Amino acid sequence: MTRLDCFDRRVRFLFAGGFASGVSWLARFLFNTVMPYPAAVAAATVVGMVIGFVTYRSLVFQDSRRPLTAQLGGFLLVNLVGGVVTIAAAIASRDLVLLPLGLGAAAASVAHAVGIAAGAVANYFGHKNITFNTT
């Protein structure tokens, strides 16, 4: 039993996902030094996905009875959709909302956070119902 077991599954998902998302958000800054913004967001999303799988499996959905290979397949499917949501929301909010509002350099960081939040909502339902099937 971990310290987080006393929390509801949704709260544990927020802790685990928040950690993975935070690493993803910070990684985007590093990746952005060597690649364009869309590619940096995509690469950072992959980093967050790896951390997310490990933390979701060990802290949130540890009661899943699905085989590891099925969990990995579901995880990739859910995160493919979640990654598209994250990238699309980040680019759209940066280009269509934040840059026109004059946020300048901060627009990319704020937009990436918006994208992560949008992807997190899609991911929770996908992981709960598909990846770890704990409904």
Side-chain angles (χ1 to χ4, degrees):
M1 182 166 197
T2 67
R3 288 184 182 175
L4 294 178
D5 282 341
C6 63
F7 294 102
D8 179 80
R9 182 185 311 269
R10 292 168 293 204
V11 173
R12 292 188 314 236
F13 185 86
L14 288 174
F15 280 124
F19 174 71
S21 296
V23 171
S24 173
W25 189 76
L26 291 171
R28 199 269 311 159
F29 290 98
L30 177 65
F31 290 129
N32 215 181
T33 63
V34 295
M35 59 184 71
Y37 182 74
V41 171
T45 299
V46 171
V47 169
M49 285 172 48
V50 170
I51 292 169
F53 181 78
V54 172
T55 57
Y56 293 150
R57 188 167 193 268
S58 62
L59 300 174
V60 182
F61 300 108
Q62 66 273 35
D63 58 340
S64 176
R65 299 194 191 283
R66 293 189 78 207
L68 177 61
T69 54
Q71 289 179 11
L72 284 169
F75 189 82
L76 291 173
L77 174 65
V78 168
N79 276 289
L80 177 64
V81 173
V84 169
V85 169
T86 298
I87 294 164
I91 293 169
S93 62
R94 181 193 68 170
D95 294 349
L96 302 175
V97 178
L98 300 171
L99 286 176
L101 288 175
L103 278 179
S109 299
V110 173
H112 189 202
V114 168
I116 288 170
V121 172
N123 280 350
Y124 175 76
F125 292 105
H127 292 317
K128 181 176 185 289
N129 297 306
I130 296 171
T131 305
F132 301 105
N133 195 16
T134 59
T135 55

